[in-house]
Amino acid sequence: MAFEIGQKAGPYEFVAVQENSRTGRAYKVRNTMADRFELLRILPAELQENLEEQERFLREIKVRARLSHPNIVSFHTATELNGQAVMTSEFFEGTTLEKRLEAGPMEQKEAVACMSRVLSALSYAHEHGVVHREVSPPNILLGADGAVRLTGFGLAKSASDPQLTCAGTVMG
């Protein structure tokens, strides 16, 4: 089920579509109870009946809920809206490392600072039994103030859940 811009569901007012991909749809929403913007993700309609994709989405929720680090996009909650499982996280204002690199190479000091924060996030995730498996420029967010956040935990693997991938499929 897709939500319409301007629609309200539960405490969320849908402001904009942020991403539409094979693995999910993300919206910028305003949480009217918390009075803040958040990112809300759902499975796209074509995957809602796919039990494997539903299980993957629920596993991602459980992995994300375990991680709280200043360089990882903050997980807020998982709930159900109109019979659909959704997850919400921090809405991070900025750009991706991918877009930043399209403008040209980073200076060494900036690159080292950025990667140091990404490595800190990955170290924390590994200490908590989570392997990201999709570290790439589109999954590294850069804020205007120098903040760095790792996102894109859709393929993350938890040590407690070794059956995350499909047989015959290469991921990560």
Side-chain angles (χ1 to χ4, degrees), residues 60-70 72-76 121-122 124-132 150 153 156:
E60 180 182 354
I61 289 170
K62 290 174 184 172
V63 166
R64 296 283 313 279
R66 293 175 32 201
L67 302 176
S68 178
H69 185 275
I72 295 175
V73 170
S74 299
F75 176 82
H76 289 314
L122 290 171
Y124 174 85
H126 292 176
E127 289 169 9
H128 289 81
V130 175
V131 179
H132 188 282
L150 182 62
F153 283 83

Side-chain angles (χ1 to χ4, degrees), residues 10-69:
Y12 303 106
E13 178 182 351
F14 290 77
V15 176
V17 175
Q18 289 300 115
E19 177 185 335
N20 233 342
S21 70
R22 183 197 72 75
T23 59
R25 178 173 288 150
Y27 296 91
K28 178 179 182 179
V29 295
R30 187 165 115 11
N31 181 327
T32 58
M33 289 182 74
D35 194 26
R36 68 180 175 202
F37 289 107
E38 298 177 0
L39 188 73
L40 182 141
R41 283 198 41 232
I42 65 168
L43 284 173
E46 58 273 12
L47 298 180
Q48 290 175 18
E49 300 301 319
N50 183 322
L51 291 178
E52 185 176 319
E53 291 295 337
Q54 286 177 8
E55 288 174 14
R56 185 179 304 280
F57 190 73
L58 292 175
R59 281 184 223 139
E60 180 182 354
I61 289 170
K62 290 174 184 172
V63 166
R64 296 283 313 279
R66 293 175 32 201
L67 302 176
S68 178
H69 185 275

